[in-house]
Amino acid sequence: MATTDPPLRSVIGLLDHITATSLDEDYAQASERAAAGGRRPERRPGTGSLAILALFGILVVTAAVQTARTADQSANSHDDLVAQINERKAALAHQRDQIGSLHRAIDDMRASYAEASAQGRAVQNKLTRLGLAAGASPARGPGIKVTVDDAAHATAKQQVLDKDLQKLVNGLWEAGAEAVAINDQRITNLTAIRGAGESITVNYASLKRPYVVSAIGNPDRLGARFLDTAGGQTWVALHLSFGLRFDITPEESMKLPAAPHLALHYAVPRRPAQANTKETLR
C-alpha cells in the first residue's frame, strides 16, 4: 500500500496546535482565572529566577575581569622575560669584547717585552717555533692541498672513512709537512680524527664533504714524497680501485688557523742540579 505525505495544511495545523498548547499548566490555570475575573493574564518571573539570573550575571562579569587581568599579567611577564634576555645578551657581548681586548693587550705587552732585549727576542722566536709545532699559533706558507671525497653514487666501500683521513695525515707528516689542517681544523698531537655516525669529526667538529687537507711545506717536494709514503700509496689504491676522489694541487701561500681549545695537560718544572755535598756535624 503506497503512502503519501500529509497535506501541508494539516502539518501547519499541527504546528499551530503544539504552539498553542505548549504553555505550562500553571499559566493555563492563571489564564482561566484571569478570564473569569475579566483581566489579562500576566506572566512574571519568580524571585528564584531573578536570583539565578543575577548570580549568572555576576559570574560572567567576574570571569571577564579575571580573564582580562590574566591576559595583562601574561603580557607583562612575557615583556619582562624578553627584556631580561636582551639585557643578558648585551652583558655577555660586552664581556666577550672585554676578554678580546684583554687578550690583545696581553699579546701587545708580550711582544713589546720580547723586543726590548736580545734575550726576549730569542725567547719570542722559540715560542713562535714551539707554537707552530704544537698548533697553538697560526701557520702561513706554501704547500699543497689534497682534496678527497666519496666516489660518485658511492656504496659503503666507496666512502671516505676516518681511518683513510688518518693515513693521509700521517703520510703528510712523514713527507715533511710543517703544519696540517683538515677543512680549517688544525691537526696537533692531541687531535682525534674519528667517525661519528655518518660524519667525521676533527677536534670534535663535524666535517663536511669534500675533505680538503692543507699541508704547509715545500710544494715541489712535499707532493712527491707523500706519494712514496704508505698513506699516499693507500690513497692511490683507493682512487684506482674504488673511484674515490684524490686530487693534489700546489699552493704558493696558505694560512692555517691555530688549533681550538688547546690546553697544556701536564707540565713539570725542571729542578736545578744539586751539588753532592755532605754536611759535617760537630
Side-chain angles (χ1 to χ4, degrees), residues 222-237:
L222 187 58
R225 290 179 177 178
F226 168 67
L227 293 176
D228 290 336
T229 65
Q233 294 173 4
T234 297
W235 267 99
V236 171

Side-chain angles (χ1 to χ4, degrees), residues 80-194:
D80 291 340
L81 289 176
V82 171
Q84 292 179 11
I85 291 173
N86 292 332
E87 289 178 359
R88 294 185 180 182
K89 284 184 177 179
L92 180 60
H94 179 66
Q95 291 178 355
R96 287 178 175 174
D97 292 339
Q98 287 183 334
I99 292 174
S101 299
L102 291 174
H103 278 304
R104 290 190 293 271
I106 291 173
D107 293 338
D108 293 340
M109 293 176 62
R110 182 182 299 168
S112 299
Y113 173 77
E115 294 295 333
S117 62
Q119 184 179 3
R121 289 191 292 271
V123 171
Q124 182 63 36
N125 293 333
K126 184 176 181 180
L127 288 176
T128 301
R129 292 194 303 271
L130 293 177
L132 291 174
S137 302
R140 183 189 298 271
I144 62 173
K145 282 187 177 180
V146 184
T147 304
V148 298
D149 198 359
D150 300 346
H153 309 291
T155 62
K157 293 183 178 180
Q158 295 175 310
Q159 297 178 354
V160 179
L161 304 178
D162 52 351
K163 62 181 181 180
D164 299 331
L165 289 181
Q166 292 173 6
K167 293 179 180 179
L168 194 157
V169 171
N170 289 335
L172 290 172
W173 288 127
E174 185 179 352
E178 300 174 6
V180 179
I182 303 178
N183 289 14
D184 292 332
Q185 290 293 329
R186 187 72 172 272
I187 306 299
T188 69
N189 293 335
L190 303 177
T191 298
I193 304 174
R194 297 176 179 173

Side-chain angles (χ1 to χ4, degrees), residues 24-36:
D24 54 65
E25 296 179 358
D26 294 338
Y27 186 72
Q29 294 176 3
S31 298
E32 293 176 358
R33 289 194 299 270

Side-chain angles (χ1 to χ4, degrees), residues 33-56:
R33 289 194 299 270
R39 295 180 295 101
R40 293 184 62 184
E42 295 181 0
R43 188 173 186 181
R44 297 178 179 178
T47 306
S49 300
L50 292 175
I52 293 174
L53 290 174
L55 179 60
F56 180 73

